[in-house]
Amino acid sequence: MRQDPEIRENVELEALNTLRVRARAAFYAEIKSAPELIRALEWARERQHETLVLGGGSNLVFAGDFLGLVIRMAIRGRRWEHIVDHRATLVLGAGESWHEAVLYAGRAGYRGIENLALIPGTAGAAPVQNIGAYGVELCDCLESVTALDRTTGELVTLNSSECRFAYRDSLFKHMPGRFVITEIRLALSRTRPLVLGYRDLQEYMGVTPDSTLEPLEVAEAVMAIRRRKLPDPAIIPNAGSFFKNPVVERARFDALKDRYPDIVGYPQEQGVKLAAAWLIDQCGWKGFRNARVGVHNRQALVLINHSGGNGEDILVLAEEIRKSVEQRFGVTLEMEPGIVAGSTSP
């Protein structure tokens, strides 16, 4: 049976993005299955409307109204597959809450994603950004994704290597609009070593032996640490970390270290990853507020919308921060959220 989604007109998107920026969609559809997704895209193509695929709205900034079709992915479902010995595959629909999926896996005793607790957004959006926290990235356990390839109109399965993951990067960011993820598969294990190398985690866990910890305990520790440092978007509108941690060559880091002995850096294969929060804090931005937007007083990476600011307010502040860091340290910050510019009429 043909599954036609309901297409609504002139829909307010303020409640559908965690920055609570006001913007409207000319057309809007909530998608609960792959066939509905195909029909929605057909509907837009027939009318020559642009499309925007929306998950939890936690990693984007609306810079204006969207005059095409906003497709909100609400495909639900989670199940276990290939349960063999201590290993299992967790399958998640694109519309599943990422954080709830982390807790679901932890309660079942499976390890691999517990460090990614409390990251807002949906399962389908997680591979696009290759979400990461506390020494773990999604690519560490992602087995494959199912996605609609809009060039062929067919559902395809892409394994982890085909997704071309890198730090906060993936194939999906380099081919925007081509693939719409409908389902993801995570390879988890009951015996996988826990990743507890970050200082915050070590300090929180104290002297508790790793061998006695359960993944849910690690997830709860991550939740406590994040809540201590990061504002809840439901209370203070924000999009999480607004800038990526920049990676510089070792020689460049050594030169910065000579000038700024307290600079924070983490060795990587390709150089040294700097702590963007430290750079921004040193430029005096932590706790800054103007009339509408600002920077959180406990985490300089988080831009907040405290008094009804719009997308332009957020972007102007972000550019001021970026310029100040570049002028002082010679390091260019890259924004994490995607920017949704006001689209054009067909």
Side-chain angles (χ1 to χ4, degrees), residues 7-119:
I7 307 292
R8 297 163 54 197
E9 295 187 38
N10 195 28
V11 174
E12 174 59 56
L13 302 172
E14 181 179 357
L16 300 179
N17 72 94
T18 60
L19 269 168
R20 294 297 186 265
V21 166
R22 297 203 66 172
R24 302 192 78 85
F27 303 97
Y28 173 89
E30 193 163 286
I31 301 302
K32 298 180 181 178
S33 68
E36 282 191 1
L37 171 63
I38 293 170
R39 280 296 301 132
L41 292 171
E42 288 176 352
W43 184 93
R45 185 171 59 252
E46 289 166 359
R47 292 158 180 79
Q48 298 183 342
H49 288 314
E50 293 182 44
T51 56
L52 170 68
V53 177
L54 186 65
S58 61
N59 200 47
L60 52 79
V61 180
F62 281 102
D65 292 338
F66 192 78
L67 303 183
L69 172 66
V70 170
I71 296 174
R72 183 164 184 260
M73 297 297 287
I75 300 175
R76 303 301 298 271
R78 54 193 184 195
R79 65 185 186 275
W80 294 100
E81 291 183 349
H82 308 131
I83 302 173
V84 179
D85 298 328
H86 60 274
R87 298 183 301 275
T89 298
L90 177 58
V91 185
L92 301 171
E96 284 288 319
S97 160
W98 173 258
H99 173 62
E100 291 301 322
V102 171
L103 298 183
Y104 177 74
R107 292 187 190 106
Y110 284 98
R111 305 176 175 193
I113 56 175
E114 55 278 354
N115 292 44
L116 308 181
L118 216 58
I119 293 180

Side-chain angles (χ1 to χ4, degrees), residues 247-250 253 266-273:
V247 178
V248 300
E249 295 180 351
R250 183 76 207 192
F253 174 75
Y266 306 96
Q268 308 283 300
E269 287 185 11
Q270 65 274 42
V272 179
K273 182 167 67 176

Side-chain angles (χ1 to χ4, degrees), residues 16 18 61 66 78 99 116 145 149 157 180 183 195 212 222 230 238-239 244 249 258 291 297-298 339 341:
L16 300 179
T18 60
V61 180
F66 192 78
R78 54 193 184 195
H99 173 62
L116 308 181
V145 306
D149 185 343
T157 298
V180 182
E183 194 173 68
V195 179
T212 67
V222 169
L230 301 171
N238 71 88
K244 296 180 181 180
E249 295 180 351
D258 287 341
N297 60 8
R298 295 199 305 272
I339 310 303

Side-chain angles (χ1 to χ4, degrees), residues 294-336:
V295 180
H296 195 250
N297 60 8
R298 295 199 305 272
Q299 174 50 267
L301 271 180
V302 177
L303 273 57
I304 60 173
N305 184 11
H306 60 82
S307 297
N310 59 31
E312 187 65 21
D313 294 325
I314 293 289
L315 295 177
V316 167
L317 175 58
E319 180 61 13
E320 291 176 354
I321 293 170
R322 191 194 65 78
K323 284 183 177 179
S324 69
V325 169
E326 189 164 28
Q327 288 170 358
R328 180 167 182 180
F329 297 102
V331 174
T332 301
L333 296 182
E334 182 180 348
M335 290 189 297
E336 282 201 35

Side-chain angles (χ1 to χ4, degrees), residues 108-291:
Y110 284 98
R111 305 176 175 193
I113 56 175
E114 55 278 354
N115 292 44
L116 308 181
L118 216 58
I119 293 180
T122 58
V128 178
Q129 190 74 3
N130 186 25
I131 58 173
Y134 299 102
V136 172
E137 292 182 313
L138 180 72
C139 62
D140 297 333
C141 62
L142 188 128
E143 187 176 285
S144 67
V145 306
T146 298
L148 179 70
D149 185 343
R150 296 179 63 178
T151 62
T152 64
E154 297 180 352
L155 289 171
V156 297
T157 298
L158 303 172
N159 63 32
S160 184
S161 62
E162 290 172 320
C163 292
R164 302 180 196 171
F165 288 122
Y167 172 62
R168 301 297 183 273
D169 200 9
S170 70
L171 167 74
F172 311 107
K173 294 186 76 171
H174 290 274
M175 292 185 174
R178 175 172 174 178
F179 298 99
V180 182
I181 296 171
T182 60
E183 194 173 68
I184 72 171
R185 292 173 178 79
L186 306 172
L188 305 179
S189 166
R190 293 181 185 273
T191 59
R192 185 186 187 120
L194 298 170
V195 179
L196 304 173
Y198 266 60
R199 184 176 63 186
D200 287 345
L201 272 177
Q202 291 177 342
E203 291 177 351
Y204 189 92
M205 293 297 185
V207 295
T208 305
D210 295 0
S211 60
T212 67
L213 290 173
E214 294 295 331
L216 190 58
E217 293 177 278
V218 177
E220 290 170 344
V222 169
M223 291 160 59
I225 294 168
R226 289 181 69 92
R227 284 173 175 146
R228 190 171 63 206
K229 290 186 171 186
L230 301 171
D232 184 344
I235 300 173
I236 303 176
N238 71 88
S241 296
F242 206 88
F243 297 98
K244 296 180 181 180
N245 290 320
V247 178
V248 300
E249 295 180 351
R250 183 76 207 192
R252 176 66 180 144
F253 174 75
D254 291 341
L256 286 169
K257 186 77 171 174
D258 287 341
R259 293 180 61 191
Y260 307 100
D262 296 332
I263 193 169
V264 179
Y266 306 96
Q268 308 283 300
E269 287 185 11
Q270 65 274 42
V272 179
K273 182 167 67 176
L274 302 180
W278 187 90
L279 300 174
I280 296 168
D281 191 11
Q282 295 304 302
C283 292
W285 286 105
K286 184 189 287 187
F288 168 85
R289 285 192 176 201
N290 61 30

